[in-house]
Amino acid sequence: MSVLIPMSPLVAETTVKWLFLSGMALSGELAGSLALASLAVAATIGLILWFRRQHRINAFEQELEKAHEVIRNIGRERDLAQEEVFRRLYEERELNKEKTQFQAQLAEYEKYALARLALGAAHEINNPLLGILSHLELELNITTDLEQRAEIEQCIVGAKRISNTLRGLVNYARPGPLVLSKISLYRLVMDTLGFLEGQPMLRGKALENYVPAELPHIRADANQLSQVLMNLLLNAAEATPEGGKITISASKLTYVESVEIRVSDTGCGIPPDILPHVFEPFFTTKKGKGTGLGLSISQAYVRSHGGEMRVDSVVNHGTTITLTLPVRQDSAEGVGEAESEVVV
Ligand SMILES: Nc1ncnc2c1ncn2[C@@H]1O[C@H](COP(=O)(O)OP(=O)(O)O)[C@@H](O)[C@H]1O
Ligand SMILES: [Mg+2]
């Protein structure tokens, strides 16, 4: 029977040398037993060394397993930290969204409160003002002195201006209920342009109409829409020097049931720092001449139709105001609706 014992090369060499020397020096039975004993000693030493090596390998493997565990723990902690970062970023984004919504709501409340205040003040001022106006007109009728007449006329112009501003303010704060009818935009634009043609402020300026006659009819408040167009055309005329051009065009949008109306001019344009303010009530750059209500009232009217207004402008090149209006109106509460008719 042979027993295979793993042995390190050094132990094996020592054992063989020992056996050889023993074999040379001794002979017979003594030599045999001695060789056998040597073999046993060598095997024992080999076994001990093998166990020690095995023990070191086990210890090394355990260390390796511990290191792996540490790496796995670090990985888990990193994943958790990443999750936490994402969670916080998400929370921050949600908070910012809420903050923006809250600020918008607050601005709406402030506007509402301001509008109610303005409405009250407008009524308080307008009533005595109308009294003053009629009194001035009476005075004008009975005055023959030219100098006095000129003064009274100046007062009447001033009082009418205040009254117009107040009317604009009331319109802005409380646009009347929509009186809807079926409108041909082509006809509405033609009528508005017809009214403006020949006005001194359009002298020397080209007025071009590109609104196609075949545009679908829309349901809207003809009176409000006509006021909006008038405001935009007047602004364009005021901004455009002689030799300039004012264009009005319209088209049906492709994928939505809306129409787009554009009023463009080749005028002075609006500087980027002014642009964000043009829809604010009472914002005007026409000192002493403008009321600053044209665009804000127009926007209020367009919004009450469920539409939007946009302004694009390049200084010294011109401005384009774009209105987007839905073709149909969802019948909303408080919306007065006239019999369907086509504006002619
Ligand atoms: N077509 C335009 N070109 C240049 N500026 C414009 C134009 N339309 C509006 N604006 C600017 O927007 C401001 C506000 O317009 P608006 O509300 O109509 O008030 P107002 O005409 O009484 O000043 C104007 O004072 C002007 O600075
Ligand atoms: Mg204006």
Side-chain angles (χ1 to χ4, degrees), residues 47-343:
L47 211 58
I48 290 168
L49 288 173
W50 181 77
F51 274 124
R52 284 173 104 184
R53 196 164 142 253
Q54 207 56 28
H55 179 73
R56 276 208 304 276
I57 288 171
N58 284 346
F60 179 69
E61 274 175 356
Q62 273 171 10
E63 287 293 315
L64 206 65
E65 181 50 34
K66 269 190 207 158
H68 275 150
E69 188 53 37
V70 170
I71 290 170
R72 277 196 294 274
N73 278 342
I74 290 173
R76 271 195 292 272
E77 274 168 20
R78 187 202 55 211
D79 290 347
L80 283 176
Q82 264 176 2
E83 260 174 43
E84 181 66 14
V85 169
F86 285 138
R87 199 177 57 78
R88 293 228 170 140
L89 280 175
Y90 177 77
E91 271 177 12
E92 200 179 308
R93 215 183 56 191
E94 288 297 300
L95 276 175
N96 276 339
K97 234 194 301 187
E98 271 175 34
K99 192 174 136 193
T100 318
Q101 274 170 358
F102 184 67
Q103 277 171 342
Q105 235 172 24
L106 202 69
E108 279 299 310
Y109 284 141
E110 274 174 6
K111 245 183 161 159
Y112 178 73
L114 207 71
R116 292 211 59 84
L117 201 73
L119 219 61
H123 281 300
E124 286 301 308
I125 299 168
N126 212 24
N127 290 341
L129 190 70
L130 290 178
I132 294 170
L133 247 174
S134 60
H135 185 72
L136 284 171
E137 273 159 3
L138 268 177
E139 282 285 314
L140 190 68
N141 284 341
I142 54 170
T143 308
T144 45
D145 182 81
L146 286 180
E147 210 171 307
Q148 271 184 4
R149 278 185 71 85
E151 273 175 17
I152 296 171
E153 271 165 0
Q154 238 181 350
C155 290
I156 291 177
V157 169
K160 278 188 177 162
R161 200 168 128 73
I162 298 173
S163 180
N164 283 343
T165 308
L166 289 175
R167 189 151 17 99
L169 183 64
V170 171
N171 283 344
Y172 172 73
R174 195 182 52 198
L178 289 182
V179 181
L180 296 175
S181 55
K182 206 169 167 190
I183 291 176
S184 153
L185 265 180
Y186 175 75
R187 292 308 307 246
L188 188 82
V189 171
M190 290 290 272
D191 289 349
T192 314
L193 291 183
F195 185 75
L196 278 176
E197 259 161 15
Q199 295 281 330
M201 65 168 59
L202 282 167
R203 209 168 292 141
K205 300 164 197 177
L207 192 56
E208 294 178 1
N209 177 10
Y210 295 106
V211 177
E214 63 277 10
L215 212 62
H217 289 160
I218 64 165
R219 282 188 78 70
D221 185 317
N223 192 28
Q224 287 195 2
L225 205 51
S226 158
Q227 272 193 53
V228 171
L229 291 178
M230 194 77 88
N231 283 339
L232 302 187
L233 288 164
L234 287 179
N235 276 347
E238 281 165 352
T240 309
E242 282 197 20
K245 192 166 73 178
I246 299 164
T247 316
I248 181 158
S249 59
S251 53
K252 159 90 179 62
L253 294 181
T254 320
Y255 297 111
V256 278
E257 283 302 295
S258 295
V259 287
E260 206 176 73
I261 308 164
R262 295 167 293 273
V263 177
S264 304
D265 63 65
T266 56
C268 58
I270 306 172
D273 56 324
I274 297 281
L275 208 58
H277 304 289
V278 294
F279 289 111
E280 287 170 12
F282 301 111
F283 177 86
T284 181
T285 51
K286 302 162 193 169
K287 287 186 186 80
K289 285 185 186 156
T291 57
L293 284 169
L295 287 184
S296 46
I297 290 175
S298 300
Q299 191 184 49
Y301 283 173
V302 170
R303 283 190 173 162
S304 66
H305 280 80
E308 257 315 325
M309 268 178 92
R310 200 183 70 226
V311 49
D312 299 288
S313 190
V314 180
V315 173
N316 294 332
H317 279 83
T319 303
T320 297
I321 309 262
T322 309
L323 319 180
T324 314
L325 284 172
V327 171
R328 278 177 281 279
Q329 293 289 321
D330 298 329
S331 286
E333 213 183 306
V335 172
E337 203 164 326
E339 274 302 299
S340 288
E341 59 178 33
V342 178
V343 171

